[in-house]
Amino acid sequence: MLFGRGKKSKAEQPKDDGTEQANAATTRQDAGPVAGGAAKGDFRLSKGPLDASEIDSQDGYVDLGALLIEPSEGLQLRLEVEEATQRVVAVTMDLDGSSLQLQAFAAPRSEGLWDEIREQIGQSVSSQGGEVEEIIGTFGTELIAKLPTESADGGRGFRAARFMGVDGPRWFLRGVIGGNAALDRKAAEGLENLFRKVVVIRGDNPMPPRELLQLKLPKDAVAPGQHGAPHETPELQKPERGPEITQIG
């Protein structure tokens, strides 16, 4: 598995997807009863992504601070860094030509964030001349967003992104699939499986809703070909620009 850092300017952050301000969120109406024994504020509709309390050990995971990622053959990871602050703001998982961007946020104990954030993503996409479609996906209600594009020869088309949101116990995890897997459900299966296995570490510190949970570069990450690096240790790639889908919503 390869590991790299990508640079992101502040302007490349999500424009207004409901992650900037600690506004009150609406209560989830479509989640139904919380499963017996689930923590208060846990609105997950299926098993995974996981809370740190649901795993026996963190051994074997790639430790990115607020997120633990299970290694997988062919998977490449990129941390996206805000250039102005050098803060890690997202992790992108590249697999088979498609990508899955992850961001985790603090959430209220008694309410989910996804309903409100989903509405704000739709408004943002519409304001950019795009279309948004609400679908029932693997993790509940999801959004397919399409933004118009123009090629160098003047041809018109669109780029698509699939937004997934999961309200866990006191955390919210957003996943954005880009590339062919955004529209092809068969092609998305590998990324969906990786998303399901993500572990969120919320921590016990008080945090306002929508505050970004802190990500970090693994301590044992090494540069490609570095002598003495363990085989299972993720390798560092040359820094790259973050995926364009981060500009949607």
Side-chain angles (χ1 to χ4, degrees):
M1 183 174 67
L2 297 176
F3 197 98
R5 288 184 69 186
K7 295 182 179 180
K8 282 175 60 65
S9 67
K10 191 171 183 179
E12 290 175 320
Q13 299 300 314
K15 294 183 179 179
D16 184 9
D17 59 359
T19 59
E20 295 294 333
Q21 302 174 1
N23 298 330
T26 56
T27 304
R28 280 189 72 91
Q29 299 297 324
D30 59 346
V34 178
K40 187 176 181 181
D42 187 351
F43 299 95
R44 286 174 293 175
L45 302 181
S46 61
K47 183 65 175 177
L50 304 173
D51 184 73
S53 64
E54 297 171 329
I55 60 173
D56 296 327
S57 171
Q58 297 184 15
D59 292 344
Y61 288 93
V62 179
D63 184 358
L64 302 177
L67 298 177
L68 301 178
I69 305 296
E70 183 174 288
S72 178
E73 184 177 356
L75 175 64
Q76 298 181 26
L77 296 179
R78 283 180 288 119
L79 288 184
E80 299 178 32
V81 180
E82 184 180 79
E83 290 187 270
T85 64
Q86 290 301 295
R87 180 180 65 152
V88 179
V89 294
V91 57
T92 296
M93 310 169 77
D94 294 321
L95 182 69
D96 297 331
S98 294
S99 64
L100 170 61
Q101 184 202 67
L102 301 173
Q103 289 182 301
F105 305 87
R109 291 181 179 274
S110 59
E111 295 179 324
L113 296 176
W114 183 221
D115 280 345
E116 185 177 0
I117 289 177
R118 197 168 64 244
E119 180 180 353
Q120 293 172 345
I121 292 172
Q123 292 172 351
S124 176
V125 172
S126 297
S127 71
Q128 299 174 63
E131 323 181 330
V132 65
E133 177 187 1
E134 197 166 275
I135 65 171
I136 300 300
T138 306
F139 302 94
T141 305
E142 302 175 357
L143 290 180
I144 300 294
K146 297 179 180 179
L147 280 178
T149 60
E150 184 172 336
S151 62
D153 60 4
R156 294 185 178 277
F158 65 85
R159 57 186 172 93
R162 175 181 162 197
F163 287 81
M164 306 178 295
V166 175
D167 289 299
R170 298 176 59 235
W171 51 258
F172 170 75
L173 181 65
R174 190 185 75 171
V176 188
I177 295 180
N180 186 49
L183 298 178
D184 187 336
R185 298 304 293 269
K186 183 72 174 177
E189 289 179 357
L191 290 174
E192 287 180 357
N193 191 44
L194 291 172
F195 188 64
R196 185 179 290 107
K197 295 177 180 179
V198 170
V199 179
V200 180
I201 301 179
R202 164 62 176 80
D204 298 324
N205 295 333
M207 298 177 69
R210 302 168 180 266
E211 184 169 327
L212 190 66
L213 300 184
Q214 185 173 356
L215 295 169
K216 67 177 184 180
L217 186 72
K219 293 181 179 179
D220 57 354
V222 295
Q226 182 172 321
H227 181 69
H231 178 70
E232 67 274 10
T233 301
E235 296 180 347
L236 285 170
Q237 293 178 290
K238 183 178 179 180
E240 300 175 359
R241 179 184 176 89
E244 294 297 329
I245 56 172
T246 59
Q247 297 179 19
I248 301 179

